[in-house]
Amino acid sequence: LPVVAIIGRPNVGKSTLFNRLVGRRIALVDDRPGVTRDRREGEATVGDLEFIAIDTAGLEDAEEATLAGRMRAQTMSAVEGADIILFVMDARVGITPEDEYFAGIVRKAGKPVVLVANKAEGHGGTAGAYDAFRLGLGDPVPLSAEHNEGFVDLYQALNAAIGHEPPEEDEDEEDDGPRGPLSIAVVGRPNAGKSTLINRLVGEDRLLTGPEAGITRDSIAVDLVWRGRDIRLVDTAGMRRKARIQDKLEKLAVSDSLRSIQFAEVVVVMLDATIPFEKQDLQIADLVSREGRALVIALNKWDLVEERAGAMKRHREAADRLLAQVRGMPLVPISAATGEGVDRLMEAVLQAHEVWNRRVPTARINRWLEGVLEHHPPPAVRGARVKLRYMTQTKARPPTFVLFGTRTSVLPESYVRYLVNGLREAFELPGTPIRLTFREPK
Ligand code: GDP
């Protein structure tokens, strides 16, 4: 029989769920001393599904002082021995940092997960159940273990999980472990000055000077430390161009950028400030946004620009108008040749990275949503009333939101844009692509 481990922080109702699943059959309590004492096992059924349920809830009576460590050890070992994980959260409380901690353990296991939003009797926990989306463990099943509600949905979810692929692991997800280098790509049209900037950052010409410099076409990366921060300059056209046939460059610039963009967290789109915002520049920037990367625009060759204040104002306006999908993006004038502005560019890169990683608490998002609905509700479309109910951020890198409501498919594009721009302003997310998707609640 498949082994299903019931995991979650204390008091979410794991024992109640366990008892419900195992029913009258006597749970086998392992009496050996040590960790195993904390766990109960029993043969469980939901509909015609049979499995071994493991409950880690015995821990809830443990002494405070030792609880955290034992809970962790117990959860780890239960997860390890399980085929499927039943992750329980409390729909009346919503997601707590402790839930996130346990969810982190579960995500790393890469096993199929059924997420249960417990205590959701009588729709009482609707908001909390939606909140559970942001654990990144899939769609929550609202349930009341105590009132015996929602078990048909649980049956379906378990059925799907048995013999199901493990959930996609979100490798981008941050954890508390050591962080790798921040990866940056520098892209842009030929002659924008990419190589010059990279040389300046790397501090020597060794990699880029000659056609025989040993640059291979695959996976070029240069590591450097900038103000104590580990930076990896990933495969960029500027690093490869010297090894390439020059006359193909113009055509290749956009498609070539894609590869670099996909390797990077933050992408610096380099423009030649004397001829900025050409079609190809915009295409490249749009690609960065569509790939969901953090974007910073460098206006290079600033040393050649006269009347800088006026130029900056014009460029700012042009950028926000022509690249409205990433409005407010950092726009940094630099001279790669003289080094002027390069420090500020790197500051902007770090900051863009931070924005791209930002997580907005669900409560704040919904306070904001309430205001939106009051002052600028969605229009009725052909008599259909769209109802927007609840919003949560499901992911960072880039910030990704889910909005629950009914008939959201008829929302006009302009209203969706309004929402995205509103999120951008309310939660200070300039320049980063923002993903917004809609869901109909069950
Ligand atoms: P890439 O094709 O984007 O890698 O561009 P390069 O780095 O090879 O630079 C193209 C040309 O622009 C070279 O002649 C550089 O010397 C020049 N250049 C690069 N940065 C600057 C700058 O900040 N100011 C000026 N005036 N020229 C620059």
Side-chain angles (χ1 to χ4, degrees):
L1 291 181
V3 175
V4 177
I6 305 174
I7 303 289
R9 66 173 177 82
N11 289 320
V12 292
K14 296 190 294 300
S15 284
T16 315
L17 179 57
F18 177 84
N19 292 336
R20 184 67 71 187
L21 293 172
V22 172
R24 291 233 182 75
R25 282 171 302 269
I26 293 164
L28 314 165
V29 180
D30 194 327
D31 273 337
R32 278 172 300 175
V35 186
T36 46
R37 191 179 45 193
D38 296 330
R39 118 191 204 167
R40 297 189 297 161
E41 293 188 14
E43 273 185 37
T45 52
V46 180
D48 58 1
L49 274 182
E50 293 185 0
F51 52 92
I52 305 286
I54 296 178
D55 177 21
T56 52
L59 282 164
E60 283 163 30
D61 307 322
E63 278 175 50
E64 277 293 321
T66 58
L67 181 64
R70 289 172 65 199
M71 188 85 201
R72 186 186 142 85
Q74 180 58 34
T75 300
M76 299 274 210
S77 97
V79 165
E80 206 168 289
D83 300 306
I84 293 164
I85 292 158
L86 205 64
F87 189 95
V88 186
M89 58 79 68
D90 184 333
R92 286 175 188 265
V93 173
I95 295 304
T96 70
E98 243 182 325
D99 288 318
E100 283 176 356
Y101 171 76
F102 284 109
I105 295 178
V106 166
R107 267 200 305 269
K108 285 208 186 75
K111 297 190 175 179
V113 180
V114 172
L115 173 60
V116 166
N118 192 30
K119 311 192 191 178
E121 59 268 16
H123 301 291
T126 311
Y130 291 158
D131 199 22
F133 271 90
R134 73 189 160 91
L135 290 175
L137 296 174
D139 290 18
V141 178
L143 190 88
S144 172
E146 188 150 327
H147 296 258
N148 205 8
E149 292 173 18
F151 281 78
V152 173
D153 290 337
L154 179 64
Y155 169 79
Q156 284 171 352
L158 277 170
N159 226 347
I162 291 173
H164 196 276
E165 298 292 303
E168 229 180 274
E169 251 200 293
D170 193 348
E171 57 200 81
D172 284 347
E173 211 59 47
E174 276 169 299
D175 52 42
D176 301 326
R179 285 208 277 166
L182 194 172
S183 52
I184 304 174
V186 181
V187 300
R189 286 189 295 132
N191 287 317
K194 300 180 294 294
S195 311
T196 310
L197 174 67
I198 290 162
N199 276 329
R200 182 161 285 283
L201 290 170
V202 174
E204 50 192 292
D205 283 8
R206 72 191 149 122
L207 272 157
L208 309 163
T209 38
E212 72 298 313
I215 300 172
T216 57
R217 287 195 45 186
D218 296 319
S219 62
I220 306 167
V222 181
D223 289 332
L224 58 118
V225 177
W226 187 82
R227 297 212 178 143
R229 190 83 160 83
D230 287 331
I231 305 276
R232 170 163 297 168
L233 281 172
V234 298
D235 184 60
T236 78
M239 291 157 80
R240 269 177 293 147
R241 64 170 295 213
K242 296 294 196 286
R244 274 183 172 288
I245 305 157
Q246 296 284 324
D247 60 18
K248 281 198 170 167
L249 275 174
E250 195 64 37
K251 277 203 190 79
L252 281 170
V254 175
S255 62
D256 215 30
S257 301
L258 178 58
R259 197 186 133 90
S260 318
I261 290 165
Q262 286 170 335
F263 278 112
E265 296 172 292
V266 183
V267 178
V268 175
V269 175
M270 186 169 259
L271 310 187
D272 182 331
T274 63
I275 37 165
F277 304 112
E278 302 272 304
K279 188 169 157 224
Q280 233 181 5
D281 297 324
L282 299 174
Q283 283 173 338
I284 291 172
D286 184 52
L287 206 54
V288 176
S289 146
R290 276 190 282 133
E291 289 295 316
R293 300 311 198 256
L295 169 75
V296 174
I297 294 183
L299 286 164
N300 191 35
K301 310 194 187 178
W302 202 243
D303 51 300
L304 301 178
V305 173
E306 290 164 22
E307 222 217 316
R308 293 178 168 189
M312 196 59 209
K313 189 162 174 288
R314 280 201 313 282
H315 295 335
R316 178 81 257 171
E317 280 165 8
D320 286 340
R321 178 166 43 83
L322 298 168
L323 296 166
Q325 68 275 40
V326 281
R327 189 170 292 169
M329 81 298 277
L331 200 58
V332 187
I334 70 166
S335 170
T338 68
E340 189 194 345
V342 171
D343 271 2
R344 266 193 297 126
L345 177 65
M346 293 304 283
E347 293 285 2
V349 164
L350 294 192
Q351 206 174 353
H353 186 246
E354 210 168 274
V355 168
W356 188 64
N357 273 289
R358 189 163 295 162
R359 279 188 183 271
V360 185
T362 304
R364 280 188 64 200
I365 299 172
N366 285 288
R367 272 201 302 279
W368 169 80
L369 183 63
E370 266 174 39
V372 167
L373 295 180
E374 202 179 310
H375 299 295
H376 193 334
V381 180
R382 276 171 262 114
R385 280 216 79 65
V386 180
K387 279 230 164 74
L388 304 178
R389 296 179 190 279
Y390 185 80
M391 193 184 245
T392 189
Q393 183 177 354
T394 52
K395 234 176 122 294
R397 310 160 65 84
T400 303
F401 299 85
V402 176
L403 178 46
F404 295 89
T406 45
R407 298 218 187 82
T408 53
S409 57
V410 305
L411 273 181
E413 195 52 39
S414 60
Y415 192 77
V416 177
R417 265 202 307 277
Y418 166 77
L419 290 173
V420 169
N421 287 332
L423 285 167
R424 190 184 295 297
E425 272 175 36
F427 304 113
E428 291 169 32
L429 302 167
T432 187
I434 292 177
R435 304 270 190 261
L436 174 59
T437 58
F438 296 89
R439 295 246 197 161
E440 306 271 323
K442 283 196 180 162

